[in-house]
Amino acid sequence: MIEELVPITVYTMNLRMYPTKEQQKIIDGNIRALEKACNKTVYDMFTYKTNTTEKPDSENKENFVHFPDITSMKKKEHLNYLRNLYPELNNVPARALSNAKMSVFNDLSKRLAAQVSDKNKNKAINGNGAMRPVEKSKPVYYNKKHPKRSYKYQEIMSKIKLTDNPNVMKFNLAKVGIIKTRGLKGYSELLRFGENGEYNFYDFIDNKLFLNEKGQAKQIFTTVKKDNCGDYFLQLCLSGIKMFKVIKREEKRKQVGIDVGVGSLMTLSNGEKYDNPRFKNGKDNSIKKHRIALYKKLSREYGFANEKFRNDYKEKKNKENIFLKPSKKYLETQNKISKLERKVARKRKHHMENMVLDIVRKYDYIAIETLSVKSMYT
C-alpha cells in the first residue's frame, strides 16, 4: 500500500453532538418552528396562491397556472409575517430561513419537484421554484410520520474550538451555545490542508489558516440534525479551501469487471466474490428474534401499537377533543427498536463502504455490467 494526497473541493464531516437538556430544547424548538413555518407557507401557497408566479398553462393557453416562487419566500415581508405568527422563529438562525442555498424553503422546492411525472425526464428545478405548478401538485406537509429532523445555515470556522482530546471538538452553535462533539480523530487522519497538504486539521485550526487576507474567517455550511433515536449530529461541509485527502492504494493497480448479484453482492472478473452477510436478521436469526420480542413488548404497552390505546385515543379525540399520549415504557421500547434498526443499517453501510474501498484500492479501471432484467422477459 502507498499513500498519496488527492486534492478535493468539498468534504463533509459528520460528528456526534452531546447537547445539554436546555440545548436539546432549543434545537428541538428550532426544528419545530421551521416545520411550522414551512407548513404554513405550503398552506398559503396552495390555498391563496401566495409566493407564486403566474404563467399561462402549456396545456390550455386560456388558463393560468401558478409556480412556487422560492425567492419571494425568503424575503423580509414573508419572513416577518411568519415571525409574527410564530414568535419562536426569532430563536432560529436567520440564515436558516433566508440563505440562498441553505434555506428551509429550498427543501420545499425539491420536494415539490419530486412530484414531476416519470414521463417528464426534465426533473430539474428552475430559479423560481419547482417545475410542476401548484394546480397539478399535492401539498407537501411535515407531519408525525414524516417530521422535519434538521436545519441548515452558514457559520464561520472560528466557531470551532479544539480540546486536549484529539477526538473531541467543541462548536459554538448559533442561538444554542457551545456544544461538545465527538468523532474528529478519523477526519484529522484523512484531511490535509495548505498549498501542499502540509497541515492536518488540528494545525489548520490552531494556526488559524482559515482566515483570509482581510482577517475574516472562512464560512462553512452547518447542518444540525436529530435522528429517530433522539441522538444529535453536527455536519460541517468544508468548501472553497485548499484541501487534500489521504488515499491508500496498491502500488500497481489492474483492470477488473464487476457483476452485481443477490447471493453474492459482487463477483469480479477474476473469480473473486464478495458475500452478502444479510445483516437484517443477523447470525442464527439473533437480530430477528430480538426484533420480534421488542414488537411483542410494544404491542402490550399503552401506545399506538395497542388496540385499547387506539380505541381510547379515538374516543377522547371525538368526544373531549383530548389527544392521548403513549406511555413512557411504550416510547422507551419504540426507541429500542429504532436503535436496533440503526445498528443494522450502520453495519450494512460499513460493509458496503469497506467493500467498495477494497476494490478501488486494488484496481485502476473498473467496468460494471448493467443488465436489464425487464428486457430479458420481453
Side-chain angles (χ1 to χ4, degrees):
M1 288 285 182
I2 60 172
E3 291 187 357
E4 63 177 353
L5 291 178
V6 178
I8 55 176
T9 55
V10 181
Y11 194 84
T12 301
M13 303 168 62
N14 190 18
L15 307 170
R16 172 79 179 272
M17 285 198 304
Y18 296 89
T20 62
K21 289 185 178 180
E22 293 182 359
Q23 290 173 336
Q24 289 179 15
K25 288 181 180 179
I26 297 173
I27 293 173
D28 293 344
N30 289 345
I31 295 174
R32 179 61 180 156
L34 289 170
E35 185 178 281
K36 289 180 180 178
C38 198
N39 285 349
K40 179 61 177 175
T41 301
V42 172
Y43 177 80
D44 290 347
M45 184 174 62
F46 278 82
T47 306
Y48 307 113
K49 303 299 184 290
T50 56
N51 296 312
T52 59
T53 304
E54 188 177 78
K55 292 183 179 181
D57 190 355
S58 58
E59 297 179 0
N60 186 358
K61 294 184 179 180
E62 296 180 358
N63 296 332
F64 289 88
V65 291
H66 299 80
F67 289 86
D69 188 356
I70 306 300
T71 304
S72 66
M73 296 178 189
K74 303 174 188 176
K75 292 183 178 179
K76 287 185 178 180
E77 183 180 356
H78 179 65
L79 296 182
N80 290 336
Y81 162 72
L82 292 175
R83 289 189 178 104
N84 290 331
L85 285 176
Y86 311 111
E88 56 267 34
L89 278 173
N90 293 315
N91 296 325
V92 178
R95 292 187 176 183
L97 289 162
S98 59
N99 188 274
K101 296 180 180 179
M102 311 290 286
S103 172
V104 65
F105 303 118
N106 289 356
D107 295 335
L108 166 63
S109 178
K110 294 175 183 178
R111 292 163 68 203
L112 286 171
Q115 296 182 8
V116 175
S117 173
D118 293 334
K119 295 180 181 179
N120 185 2
K121 296 180 180 180
N122 184 13
K123 293 188 179 182
I125 301 170
N126 60 21
N128 297 323
M131 295 292 291
R132 191 177 177 91
V134 172
E135 287 81 1
K136 300 176 183 179
S137 305
K138 294 180 181 179
V140 283
Y141 295 114
Y142 290 109
N143 50 46
K144 289 183 178 180
K145 289 186 177 180
H146 303 285
K148 185 167 182 58
R149 296 192 180 277
S150 65
Y151 64 91
K152 306 174 184 178
Y153 73 102
Q154 268 188 320
E155 196 53 275
I156 54 177
M157 293 197 73
S158 58
K159 295 293 184 74
I160 297 174
K161 309 293 181 185
L162 299 178
T163 63
D164 295 334
N165 189 335
N167 197 40
V168 176
M169 181 188 82
K170 292 185 178 180
F171 192 84
N172 192 354
L173 209 60
K175 306 288 186 177
V176 179
I178 298 175
I179 294 184
K180 176 184 174 182
T181 67
R182 281 185 174 272
L184 179 62
K185 189 175 180 180
Y187 295 110
S188 180
E189 294 173 353
L190 286 175
L191 295 178
R192 295 291 182 271
F193 301 87
E195 290 297 325
N196 300 312
E198 60 269 25
Y199 301 103
N200 61 18
F201 186 79
Y202 307 118
D203 297 331
F204 182 72
I205 300 298
D206 283 336
N207 298 328
K208 296 185 178 180
L209 299 176
F210 50 81
L211 298 177
N212 59 17
E213 296 176 355
K214 298 180 180 180
Q216 298 173 338
K218 179 66 182 177
Q219 290 189 336
I220 51 176
F221 295 124
T222 306
T223 302
V224 181
K225 186 177 181 181
K226 181 183 179 181
D227 67 1
N228 58 355
C229 299
D231 295 329
Y232 296 83
F233 295 88
L234 177 68
Q235 293 179 344
L236 302 177
C237 182
L238 310 178
S239 63
I241 306 172
K242 196 73 174 179
M243 288 186 296
F244 298 86
K245 187 177 179 181
V246 179
I247 302 294
K248 294 181 180 179
R249 64 174 183 83
E250 295 285 348
E251 188 171 0
K252 293 182 179 180
R253 293 190 289 179
K254 303 177 182 178
Q255 298 180 359
V256 72
I258 299 177
D259 180 26
V260 181
V262 179
S264 58
L265 287 176
M266 289 191 297
T267 303
L268 306 186
S269 55
N270 58 11
E272 186 178 356
K273 291 186 178 182
Y274 289 86
D275 295 330
N276 188 355
R278 311 282 184 180
F279 291 105
K280 184 176 182 179
N281 295 330
K283 294 180 179 179
D284 302 326
N285 287 333
S286 58
I287 294 178
K288 183 179 180 180
K289 292 176 182 177
H290 188 197
R291 184 185 292 110
I292 292 172
L294 286 174
Y295 274 108
K296 284 183 178 179
K297 184 179 180 181
L298 191 72
S299 63
R300 291 193 293 267
E301 303 295 347
Y302 197 64
F304 287 101
N306 183 282
E307 186 177 359
K308 184 178 184 305
F309 176 85
R310 292 197 298 269
N311 294 333
D312 294 344
Y313 182 86
K314 290 179 182 178
E315 186 178 352
K316 291 281 185 180
K317 180 182 176 183
N318 295 333
K319 291 184 179 180
E320 304 175 26
N321 199 24
I322 297 175
F323 295 89
L324 292 179
K325 293 183 179 180
S327 65
K328 288 185 178 180
K329 288 187 177 180
Y330 179 88
L331 295 176
E332 287 175 0
T333 308
Q334 196 175 45
N335 194 39
K336 287 180 181 179
I337 294 173
S338 298
K339 287 184 176 181
L340 177 66
E341 300 300 341
R342 184 179 67 177
K343 185 177 180 180
V344 172
R346 283 178 173 177
K347 282 185 176 181
R348 186 185 297 111
K349 182 182 178 183
H350 181 71
H351 175 74
M352 295 292 289
E353 288 178 348
N354 284 342
M355 183 175 60
V356 172
L357 182 61
D358 183 54
I359 292 175
V360 172
R361 283 176 175 174
K362 291 179 180 178
Y363 304 101
D364 186 27
Y365 181 84
I366 301 171
I368 302 175
E369 179 186 10
T370 56
L371 184 64
S372 176
V373 180
K374 184 178 178 181
S375 302
M376 294 175 65
Y377 287 93
T378 55

